[in-house]
Amino acid sequence: MAITLHNEAAIVGIGQTAFSKNSGVSELALAAEAVKNCLDDAGLDPVEVDGLSTFTLDSTDEVELARAVGLGDLHMFAKINYGGGAAVGLIQQAAMAVATGVCKYVVVWRAMNGRSGQRMGQGVSGEIISSDLIHWSWYMSHGMLTPASWVALIASNYMAEYGAGSEHLAEIAIAQRNYALNNPVAAGFGKPLTMDDYMNAKMISEPLRLYDCCQETDGGVALLITTPERARDLRQKPAIVRAVTQASTRGQEQMTSFYRDDLNSLPEMELAARRVYEMSGLSADDIDASCLYDAFTPEVLMQLESFGFCGRGEAKDFVQEGALRIDGRLPNNTHGGLLSEAYIHGVNNIAEGVRLIRGTSTSQPPKPINHALVSSGVGVPTGALILGADD
Amino acid sequence: MKPGRIKPPMGHDNAWWWQQAAEDKLAIQRCSGCQVLRHPPRPMCDRCRSMEWDFIIAKGEAKVISFTVLHHPKFPGYSYPLPIVLAELAEGTRYIAELIDCDVERITRGMRLQVTTQTDDDGFKIPVFRPATGSE
């Protein structure tokens, strides 16, 4: 029997907390609130939930969440590794569970005090010896302690190779800020970003300036996944999972895949692209809008090539033509993204993908969005998801 | 005494490399089965699956593949702006390290480098790069 996740699952609930720089509550409280809001959105009694999936980085324990919210008996609980690379992996986990009948209703979430609590890029050290810590030590000892520094080493090479410049990165940052201006929950709401602001902002790790880097956010987002049949009995218009996959390729490291022959592409994202196009029967031409993982602006450039929206080295021209703007070829991160809405490790980008299909984005493009593409973290083991409207 | 840089955790798979570094050497792991060189070190060859290995000492010649200059945030134990290069060693493996004794404006892809040892005030030693003599 051919195994496929084509049209076997749907996302039918979105819940989130306020996004802030200091939530003043625990990560468990954020998770519980996001999940409660998600189930309210869908109109599902919490006791019906029988599956859970989140990030290994999430501090909330599955059974603590289940006790806090009053969920039912659980048949599946799974945590996924690799930071933002986990995002659509949660959907794959949930889709597999509902497609096989293991679960009826799976909630996935990510809740974090990403600014007031443990921040990314504070370095990793200590006496614990694991393969993961030894991996980081090759960079930490030299002072490369932040995601920005690892991404910069790849971005710098890509940009030099293809002649991409700061103005191209700025186009991405500004396009997404313009979306955030309409989004009341976004960090960038009501805060216009000009080219001068962008160019004059402090350098973080060359070529990355401040506005090339995502927010640090306290907050949580949860999503409800079930079968398309069950979804139709719930309150919201479902976003059907046309295809979903995780992807990691030979020579992959976490953020530091510096030893592969080709440093100008994202082989894991190309694998994710091949998989979701094959599974869905769709191509780049069928994608109406996207939420490409945007912890750093160069990652958006490189992914446009991975997913075939333009050829190798052509992403700079594609964005310069305004393709990512609301009336462009590929409206991208219409909520503001990780750059200008919030950094909930990409789960907020999946939520926006669902809104685009529902037609409820605060920057809903003027054209119908029949298919939205969402990707997981870049430079890490990752994944991709295509959402579609219910026929 | 100035605070030193962050120390690597040392286990079975990497401590030997840092012991070489402490003797001012940049080691490259070599598979005993198929002789392929590999870095960063790991316990098995991903080509022939041999778990037997030894190492060679790099000549120290390298060239820049890519680079970045770190400005923010600033951590104790490091000097900013902090140039980091992804370099290809003459032996063919790559190594990522700080570049010292070089104006950051001068760094270019393809620039020739020489490996040297940086010793912190606390005695910790780490192989780093400096521009090769005569390199412009």
Side-chain angles (χ1 to χ4, degrees):
Chain A
M1 187 180 79
I3 296 170
T4 173
L5 291 175
H6 177 51
N7 294 343
E8 296 286 350
I11 305 179
V12 75
I14 303 171
Q16 57 194 45
T17 67
F19 301 143
S20 72
K21 298 298 178 190
N22 186 357
S23 70
V25 300
S26 69
E27 292 181 333
L28 172 58
L30 293 172
E33 184 186 344
V35 170
K36 161 78 165 56
N37 291 342
C38 170
L39 297 174
D40 285 351
D41 178 60
L44 185 73
D45 186 328
V47 81
E48 296 291 325
V49 173
D50 58 355
L52 292 173
S53 183
T54 188
F55 291 50
T56 52
L57 282 184
D58 202 281
S59 72
T60 294
D61 193 67
E62 293 97 324
V63 296
E64 292 301 322
L65 177 77
R67 287 187 336 124
V69 181
L71 303 181
D73 297 339
L74 299 177
H75 306 146
M76 186 277 285
F77 26 95
K79 289 196 169 188
I80 301 188
N81 201 355
Y82 305 118
V88 305
L90 306 183
I91 307 298
Q92 177 178 259
Q93 201 71 217
M96 289 193 295
V98 300
T100 53
V102 167
C103 294
K104 291 181 177 170
Y105 301 99
V106 179
V107 164
V108 306
W109 85 91
R110 178 76 174 110
M112 54 204 277
N113 281 325
R115 181 64 180 82
S116 70
Q118 174 73 47
R119 299 167 70 183
M120 301 292 143
Q122 293 298 290
V124 180
S125 192
E127 295 307 308
I128 299 167
I129 298 170
S130 65
S131 61
D132 184 55
L133 283 181
I134 286 177
H135 156 247
W136 292 118
S137 72
W138 297 108
Y139 315 103
M140 298 289 176
S141 303
H142 291 285
M144 294 184 83
L145 286 90
T146 62
S149 67
W150 309 320
V151 169
L153 211 49
I154 294 284
S156 162
N157 187 63
Y158 168 89
M159 291 170 70
E161 191 71 24
Y162 294 129
S166 296
E167 67 277 21
H168 302 109
L169 304 184
E171 167 61 33
I172 294 165
I174 292 169
Q176 292 194 196
R177 181 60 62 92
N178 286 339
Y179 290 130
L181 294 175
N182 300 327
N183 178 1
V185 306
F189 180 62
K191 295 177 191 163
L193 179 65
T194 66
M195 185 62 85
D196 278 351
D197 296 334
Y198 172 90
M199 291 294 180
N200 293 327
K202 70 180 165 190
M203 193 62 87
I204 301 296
S205 188
E206 296 176 26
L208 305 177
R209 293 178 169 82
L210 180 66
Y211 294 110
D212 293 308
C213 306
C214 64
Q215 301 289 316
E216 292 179 295
T217 310
D218 287 7
V221 176
L223 303 166
L224 175 67
I225 294 90
T226 188
T227 60
E229 294 71 28
R230 289 195 179 91
R232 289 175 195 125
D233 295 332
L234 295 172
R235 185 176 291 155
Q236 300 290 350
K237 177 180 166 186
I240 307 293
V241 174
R242 294 274 184 253
V244 62
T245 191
Q246 288 186 289
S248 176
T249 52
R250 194 176 174 109
Q252 181 88 55
E253 292 195 358
Q254 291 192 59
M255 304 297 296
T256 55
S257 301
F258 300 135
Y259 309 95
R260 301 191 281 208
D261 289 341
D262 180 5
L263 288 173
N264 298 317
S265 67
L266 301 168
E268 56 281 354
M269 207 57 93
E270 290 173 2
L271 172 62
R274 282 198 304 278
R275 294 266 303 166
V276 289
Y277 289 150
E278 190 178 293
M279 197 182 298
S280 64
L282 301 169
S283 72
D285 290 344
D286 299 306
I287 304 298
D288 303 304
S290 59
C291 295
L292 299 175
Y293 197 90
D294 58 321
F296 301 97
T297 53
E299 298 178 336
V300 174
L301 278 186
M302 295 183 77
Q303 286 179 91
L304 291 168
E305 297 169 18
S306 311
F307 283 103
F309 293 107
C310 56
R312 272 285 185 97
E314 294 173 0
K316 66 182 199 307
D317 305 313
F318 186 74
V319 303
Q320 201 68 13
E321 290 158 10
L324 306 187
R325 299 178 197 167
I326 195 156
D327 53 356
R329 157 71 188 92
L330 190 73
N332 182 55
N333 287 320
T334 43
H335 54 323
L338 307 179
L339 292 169
S340 272
E341 186 196 53
Y343 184 68
I344 313 294
H345 251 147
V347 179
N348 55 317
N349 289 9
I350 304 175
E352 180 67 4
V354 176
R355 283 187 215 102
L356 285 167
I357 297 299
R358 288 183 182 181
T360 60
S361 170
T362 53
S363 293
Q364 188 71 29
K367 65 180 177 180
I369 304 299
N370 294 314
H371 296 111
L373 170 69
V374 188
S375 61
S376 289
V378 179
V380 284
T382 187
L385 164 70
I386 297 176
L387 296 171
D390 199 11
D391 296 326
Chain B
M1 188 173 80
K2 210 177 91 174
R5 62 187 72 228
I6 291 175
K7 307 302 182 288
M10 294 190 197
H12 289 292
D13 295 337
N14 72 334
W16 64 272
W17 191 94
W18 289 100
Q19 284 156 11
Q20 294 301 311
E23 295 174 22
D24 302 315
K25 293 169 184 164
L26 174 62
I28 307 173
Q29 192 178 34
R30 178 173 61 186
C31 173
S32 300
C34 68
Q35 303 296 305
V36 73
L37 300 177
R38 59 183 194 252
H39 182 83
R42 43 193 182 270
M44 180 181 283
C45 176
D46 70 346
R47 300 181 187 208
C48 75
R49 278 83 196 182
S50 170
M51 297 187 80
E52 302 296 319
W53 54 268
D54 61 2
F55 61 86
I56 63 169
I57 301 302
K59 284 186 292 183
E61 296 167 8
K63 66 173 184 186
V64 175
I65 296 177
S66 188
F67 64 95
T68 181
V69 182
L70 278 57
H71 294 263
H72 179 86
K74 295 179 172 61
F75 293 89
Y78 301 90
S79 304
Y80 296 87
L82 174 62
I84 301 284
V85 294
L86 165 58
E88 188 165 280
L89 302 177
E91 290 79 5
T93 55
R94 294 176 187 167
Y95 178 63
I96 289 118
E98 182 180 347
L99 174 61
I100 63 167
D101 300 335
C102 183
D103 179 353
V104 296
E105 305 296 323
R106 278 188 52 212
I107 311 171
T108 54
R109 294 202 304 161
M111 178 179 172
R112 292 192 301 118
L113 304 169
Q114 179 66 43
V115 173
T116 186
T117 296
Q118 179 87 352
T119 306
D120 285 356
D121 289 356
D122 59 9
F124 178 69
K125 290 189 173 190
I126 188 168
V128 299
F129 292 110
R130 61 174 172 73
T133 310
S135 144
E136 287 302 329

